[in-house]
Amino acid sequence: MSASIGELQKSFAPSTVLYDYQKMTFFIHLYCVIWITLLTACCSTTGRELPNGQNVVSVAPIKVFDESMYPRFAEPIPNVTVTVGKDALLACVVDNLRGFKVAWVRMDTQTILSIHHNIITQNPRISLSYNDHRSWYLHIKNVEEIDRGWYMCQVNTDPMRFRKGYLQVVVPPSIIDNMTSTDMVVREASDVTLVCRASGYPEPYVMWRREDAQDFNYNGESVNVVDGETLTISKVSRLHMGAYLCIASNGVPPSISKRIMLMVQFPPMLSIPNQLEGAYVGQDVTLECHTEAYPSSINYWTTDRGDMIISEMEIVGGKYEAFPVDSGYNKFMMLKIRNITKEDFGFYKCIAKNSLGETDGIIKLDEIPAPPSVFTTTLKSVLDNQTIRKKGQLQIAQPNDAVSSTFQGEAFGEQIRDFDFYEENSASTTNKETLLFLILIVISAVTRMLS
């Protein structure tokens, strides 16, 4: 029995060894296939983590001993500048490509973007186009700042051949609101600083100027523009009050600006062009005061007895009419007094008040003599001694026929031309009196015009 078993073992030994060998070979092959599949899937989905300088094309490099058979880059890849949000296009032109393959790679991250006709990256904004197996275009839609950098076009030669181009992404300027000053209110003679922060690529240049383009005092100098993100004014005055523009630009349109109002507070200040006014009874007169204040002042008029004057501008035939004229922090106070009587002469006070203080000024209204009625008196005396002949008809002028002083010079001149004068006694006396009469007419007309 033992012999037969030994013989049996000897007879089966070779076949058993062969079976084990075949089994081991099968598992080795299966293991290799699984690893190749995993590596291929990883490379085709991520396209990352490749050593610097390694040929990234998924097929083996092709080595050709004849140099003339190698592909050649027909031109460099031009650098491209594009504004953020626009589309970018990178072009790679290869002659004599034959059976070689082209790949696009993002150099700074070593990311494979495309291999020949296939897009490898998962970025949906990137696409590929090609023309006649010679021109290979990489498209990037809606460019973002993260797309800025170097891009490589390479061919799977041995050694690898490549060209690279730079994609520059520029960003127009924008004002950073939460880091920029808003409208400001400061007291006069204090220091004030306005700040304007801007972002963009390239870094924006920031400048300040007044909205009305007028020069302003900047630390002792009259300037129109101040460079820099900050505008510091020492001992600010009311003349600095107004709107200022912070303007940011970096060569990428459009430039941008922000309007900032600077308000300077100060108590009222008053000036009077004429502190003494003269008028005669029956005349209209206007009194005037100039005020400056911020916040805006409350302005009103009083008499010398302290009574506030109420404007009656809406009442027909009203005695007083007070009307202000505003111009920024300046106000012009006007008080019109109609048909002056004896009781209207005296002192008038203009008053301005705001939260920081008050001020007043006094104007004196004096009576002056009314212009003499020279016209009527002289004309009556002349006509009493004249014989008037109008168009050949003899008439004697009565005292009541004298022209009143209400006639204007021009109108009365027309009336005089219709009359001929002659002296009953002598021609020389008539000529003198006629000349005197005409002079008096002119004087009366001028007096009326001046009054």
Side-chain angles (χ1 to χ4, degrees), residues 32-47 58 120:
C32 292
V33 169
I34 291 173
W35 271 106
I36 291 172
T37 304
L38 290 175
L39 288 173
T40 303
C42 179
C43 182
S44 63
T45 57
T46 65
S58 60
I120 304 301

Side-chain angles (χ1 to χ4, degrees), residues 106-367:
R106 175 74 182 269
M107 293 185 64
D108 54 354
T109 61
Q110 287 293 300
T111 303
I112 301 175
L113 304 177
S114 69
I115 298 178
H116 217 52
H117 299 160
N118 302 314
I119 295 294
I120 304 301
T121 180
Q122 293 181 340
N123 188 339
R125 296 184 296 109
I126 293 180
S127 60
L128 180 72
S129 65
Y130 44 88
N131 184 20
D132 297 334
H133 203 63
R134 180 175 183 268
S135 301
W136 302 82
Y137 302 101
L138 182 69
H139 302 263
I140 307 177
K141 295 182 179 179
N142 192 22
V143 168
E144 301 174 1
E145 284 196 77
I146 58 173
D147 298 322
R148 184 185 297 119
W150 289 97
Y151 289 79
M152 177 193 296
C153 172
Q154 66 174 225
V155 181
N156 64 328
T157 56
D158 187 12
M160 176 187 68
R161 295 189 172 189
F162 67 91
R163 289 288 184 271
K164 62 181 181 179
Y166 193 82
L167 174 61
Q168 179 63 276
V169 181
V170 294
V171 182
S174 62
I175 304 294
I176 306 174
D177 287 331
N178 60 354
M179 299 177 66
T180 297
S181 299
T182 55
D183 294 348
M184 299 186 69
V185 179
V186 298
R187 289 293 297 269
E188 193 170 35
S190 63
D191 296 341
V192 62
T193 298
L194 304 179
V195 180
C196 179
R197 306 292 186 198
S199 62
Y201 191 88
E203 184 178 354
Y205 155 75
V206 178
M207 57 174 258
W208 293 87
R209 69 171 178 85
R210 286 182 64 99
E211 186 180 47
D212 57 12
Q214 297 296 315
D215 291 352
F216 60 97
N217 186 291
Y218 180 67
N219 301 332
E221 297 182 8
S222 180
V223 299
N224 188 264
V225 172
V226 175
D227 298 329
E229 293 183 336
T230 60
L231 174 65
T232 300
I233 303 175
S234 301
K235 297 182 178 179
V236 67
S237 77
R238 66 196 68 181
L239 299 177
H240 290 107
M241 189 182 302
Y244 289 79
L245 295 179
C246 155
I247 304 172
S249 58
N250 63 352
V252 182
S255 297
I256 192 169
S257 65
K258 182 174 181 178
R259 183 178 186 267
I260 300 175
M261 282 295 301
L262 176 61
M263 309 306 295
V264 181
Q265 291 183 330
F266 57 95
M269 187 177 72
L270 186 145
S271 64
I272 301 175
N274 297 302
Q275 291 184 302
L276 181 62
E277 291 281 359
Y280 54 85
V281 174
Q283 185 184 7
D284 293 350
V285 69
T286 299
L287 309 182
E288 183 176 347
C289 282
H290 297 174
T291 66
E292 297 179 2
Y294 188 82
S296 184
S297 58
I298 298 173
N299 300 336
Y300 58 94
W301 293 86
T302 64
T303 64
D304 53 0
R305 297 181 299 274
D307 299 330
M308 182 181 294
I309 297 176
I310 306 301
S311 177
E312 301 171 346
M313 58 186 302
E314 296 180 359
I315 302 175
V316 177
K319 183 71 174 179
Y320 300 106
E321 180 181 348
F323 50 96
V325 178
D326 294 354
S327 177
Y329 59 82
N330 294 286
K331 283 190 176 182
F332 301 94
M333 301 171 58
M334 309 288 189
L335 177 65
K336 185 173 184 178
I337 307 173
R338 296 189 179 93
N339 193 20
I340 289 178
T341 63
K342 290 282 188 180
E343 292 75 17
D344 294 325
F345 296 111
F347 295 93
Y348 292 84
K349 182 184 289 186
C350 51
I351 302 172
K353 293 182 178 181
N354 72 1
S355 59
L356 302 178
E358 70 174 272
T359 187
D360 58 58
I362 296 176
I363 300 176
K364 185 180 181 182
L365 179 59
D366 271 347
E367 182 180 4

